[in-house]
Amino acid sequence: MPRIAPINACAGREPHGARGVKVAVPKPKFKQTRDTREAVLSAAAKNFREKGYAAVTLREIAKTAGLTTGSLYYHFKSKEDVVREVLDQGHIFIRLAVEKALADPRVGTDDRSRIRCAIKTHMACLFGDDSLSAANIRIFSQVPAQVKYPTLASRHAYEALWRSLFQDAKASGFLDPNLDIEVMIPLMLGAVNWTLEWSGSDDVSVDAIVDHVVTMLEA
Amino acid sequence: MPRIAPINACAGREPHGARGVKVAVPKPKFKQTRDTREAVLSAAAKNFREKGYAAVTLREIAKTAGLTTGSLYYHFKSKEDVVREVLDQGHIFIRLAVEKALADPRVGTDDRSRIRCAIKTHMACLFGDDSLSAANIRIFSQVPAQVKYPTLASRHAYEALWRSLFQDAKASGFLDPNLDIEVMIPLMLGAVNWTLEWSGSDDVSVDAIVDHVVTMLEA
DNA sequence: CTTATTGAAACGAACGTAAGTTATTTTCTT
DNA sequence: AAGAAAATAACTTACGTTCGTTTCAATAAG
């Protein structure tokens, strides 16, 4: 697993639900239906990212989030309901992160810089403190069909973002004009996403990975 | 999911347990302990490949293989025992396939041809009739630690094979000498392995994928 | 008091697993 | 060569556990 990049890579970003530890100093009860919900989602994402979908029990999620299974059912009506929201939030988060990063004026206007920025931001989401994005990438294919279907729209929007990037890069000659964008994009994203499966080898930094991917893309 | 390549890609290969369909026209009972074992492994691999590890039940495996759960326990002593053998066979199979393909005299001696052959054979295993290799790649990270540990030796042997290929290619200038082989190999294999997660888009052939990967690797 | 939130307990279903039984094949004895 | 004995292969049934889920009483806030 690669070292976690110093977040704020490329264009500044803070993790989605940047809530602190929930040690409860006095007893900040109530009016926290929002916080509890997010704590559950974060706990679920953390577990899903590590173990996959089916292997994670609601008892584990509840325990990680600091409540009991019964309480969890006050906020969500089923396990499917939990994973549905993890999937939604995770993918929307990563797409918005990349869009925002690309919109940052500090990013160069050349295709190499823009693609590098997008890849780096994508990876920063995967290895950031929040597990939502990583969980989405990791468990998408393990999830019941009725859960993954509604999220396809968001995925298509994300693919469109990359398609636009790659089309520009192809026009400018940064990418080999003989190669098919519809093949290159999933291959490239696959290479990046598969880093989630790397084990051991902590000595490869996210930056090094990004560099290698960009160089390999370059014509 | 890419189209299944016309098997026998690169160097000839037949799927591991090439047993026919088990429709049972008369009633071919008994006399098949070896066949049953392999049928169970094949059924397990098929299910694991599609659904992951934890989501597959022994009842499903037994049903796919055409026997009952109790009978399954005559051949294997636990679910872990089943997945252990799927993992073992799957990975050994893919490594031997690539080694054999590279040893074929019809493969060119230049680094481009050899790397292309290795990638194509790897992918042919992933999308071949037998699911053992695909299951291995897909569920490795979902499996209990005590199962995945003993298989690491085989994985290292496979990595060594690729390291050797890439070192030669780097020496001859086919690969960019500035890039780190220890990063490129997992990235490349990740890109290839992730094709298992592709859904829809049947219109991309394995050959096209191999071509794109090779071209991207080329300096 | 009312509403929102939690925790304890328990439900039925499905899980991995095991034991015991039946059916087929092989081996051994004569 | 025939038939009994042993071994093999598969099925039936069910145990104990754990899962997702539900119920409901207890507690805290407005």
Side-chain angles (χ1 to χ4, degrees):
Chain A
M1 188 189 320
R3 270 207 312 268
I4 291 178
I7 204 84
N8 265 34
C10 213
R13 286 230 53 73
E14 76 249 39
H16 191 187
R19 61 204 145 278
V21 203
K22 188 140 286 176
V23 280
V25 184
K27 205 64 179 299
K29 281 259 180 155
F30 250 61
K31 204 50 196 168
Q32 57 181 23
T33 174
R34 201 81 236 161
D35 283 350
T36 303
R37 249 188 98 85
E38 285 190 12
V40 169
L41 288 176
S42 182
K46 188 172 187 299
N47 281 278
F48 286 149
R49 167 189 184 161
E50 289 169 8
K51 304 174 197 166
Y53 173 64
V56 173
T57 70
L58 289 178
R59 285 166 177 82
E60 288 177 290
I61 296 176
K63 189 168 195 174
T64 306
L67 31 66
T68 63
T69 329
S71 306
L72 195 155
Y73 268 85
Y74 176 78
H75 301 274
F76 300 89
K77 66 187 226 289
S78 69
K79 185 183 184 184
E80 245 183 61
D81 203 34
V82 174
V83 74
R84 195 190 319 275
E85 197 152 334
V86 167
L87 242 49
D88 270 358
Q89 289 200 17
H91 208 263
I92 290 175
F93 176 62
I94 203 168
R95 176 164 57 87
L96 294 183
V98 174
E99 282 173 359
K100 184 176 171 188
L102 285 174
D104 192 287
R106 289 172 296 176
V107 179
T109 55
D110 60 301
D111 293 308
R112 185 178 219 280
S113 298
R114 293 177 60 77
I115 285 184
R116 191 180 196 290
C117 169
I119 295 175
K120 178 149 187 174
T121 308
H122 182 101
M123 285 205 70
C125 291
L126 292 190
F127 291 96
D129 291 334
D130 198 280
S131 297
L132 283 170
S133 304
N136 177 292
I137 298 294
R138 187 107 153 55
I139 69 173
F140 180 75
S141 64
Q142 304 172 24
V143 136
Q146 65 268 24
V147 173
K148 80 171 87 166
Y149 249 70
T151 73
L152 285 180
S154 176
R155 294 182 91 86
H156 288 150
Y158 192 52
E159 287 165 22
L161 186 160
W162 284 98
R163 197 171 292 119
S164 163
L165 266 182
F166 272 52
Q167 277 166 350
D168 291 346
K170 197 170 177 177
S172 76
F174 174 74
L175 292 179
D176 186 334
N178 296 317
L179 294 181
D180 185 350
I181 287 180
E182 302 303 324
V183 180
M184 290 182 79
I185 292 175
L187 277 179
M188 185 272 288
L189 287 179
V192 170
N193 291 339
W194 195 262
T195 58
L196 284 175
E197 309 258 339
W198 295 13
S199 51
S201 71
D202 267 327
D203 41 64
V204 180
S205 72
V206 167
D207 274 320
I209 294 172
V210 176
D211 283 338
H212 280 73
V213 174
V214 172
T215 304
M216 285 168 68
L217 284 175
E218 203 164 5
Chain B
M1 189 188 321
R3 269 207 312 267
I4 291 177
I7 204 84
N8 267 32
C10 213
R13 288 227 53 73
E14 76 249 38
H16 192 182
R19 61 206 142 277
V21 201
K22 190 140 287 178
V23 280
V25 184
K27 206 64 178 296
K29 280 251 184 156
F30 266 59
K31 187 53 196 170
Q32 50 186 7
T33 176
R34 198 81 236 163
D35 285 351
T36 303
R37 242 189 105 84
E38 285 189 11
V40 170
L41 288 176
S42 182
K46 188 172 187 296
N47 281 277
F48 286 148
R49 167 190 185 161
E50 289 168 8
K51 303 173 199 167
Y53 174 64
V56 174
T57 70
L58 289 178
R59 284 166 177 80
E60 286 177 290
I61 296 176
K63 190 168 194 174
T64 306
L67 34 67
T68 63
T69 328
S71 307
L72 197 154
Y73 268 84
Y74 176 80
H75 301 274
F76 301 88
K77 66 187 226 287
S78 68
K79 186 184 183 183
E80 247 183 57
D81 203 35
V82 174
V83 75
R84 195 192 318 276
E85 197 151 335
V86 168
L87 242 48
D88 269 359
Q89 288 200 18
H91 208 262
I92 290 175
F93 177 63
I94 203 170
R95 176 162 59 88
L96 294 182
V98 174
E99 282 173 0
K100 183 176 171 188
L102 285 174
D104 192 287
R106 289 173 294 175
V107 179
T109 55
D110 60 301
D111 294 308
R112 185 179 219 279
S113 298
R114 293 177 59 77
I115 285 183
R116 191 181 195 289
C117 170
I119 295 174
K120 178 150 187 173
T121 308
H122 183 102
M123 285 205 70
C125 291
L126 291 190
F127 292 97
D129 291 334
D130 198 281
S131 298
L132 284 170
S133 304
N136 177 293
I137 298 292
R138 188 108 155 52
I139 69 173
F140 180 74
S141 64
Q142 304 172 24
V143 135
Q146 65 268 25
V147 173
K148 81 172 84 163
Y149 250 70
T151 73
L152 285 180
S154 177
R155 294 181 93 86
H156 288 151
Y158 192 52
E159 286 166 22
L161 188 160
W162 283 98
R163 198 172 291 120
S164 162
L165 265 183
F166 272 52
Q167 278 166 349
D168 291 348
K170 198 170 177 177
S172 77
F174 173 74
L175 292 179
D176 187 333
N178 296 318
L179 294 182
D180 185 350
I181 287 180
E182 302 303 325
V183 179
M184 290 183 78
I185 292 175
L187 277 178
M188 185 272 288
L189 286 178
V192 171
N193 291 339
W194 196 261
T195 59
L196 283 174
E197 310 259 338
W198 294 14
S199 52
S201 72
D202 267 327
D203 41 64
V204 179
S205 72
V206 167
D207 274 319
I209 294 172
V210 176
D211 283 338
H212 279 74
V213 174
V214 172
T215 305
M216 286 168 65
L217 283 175
E218 204 163 5

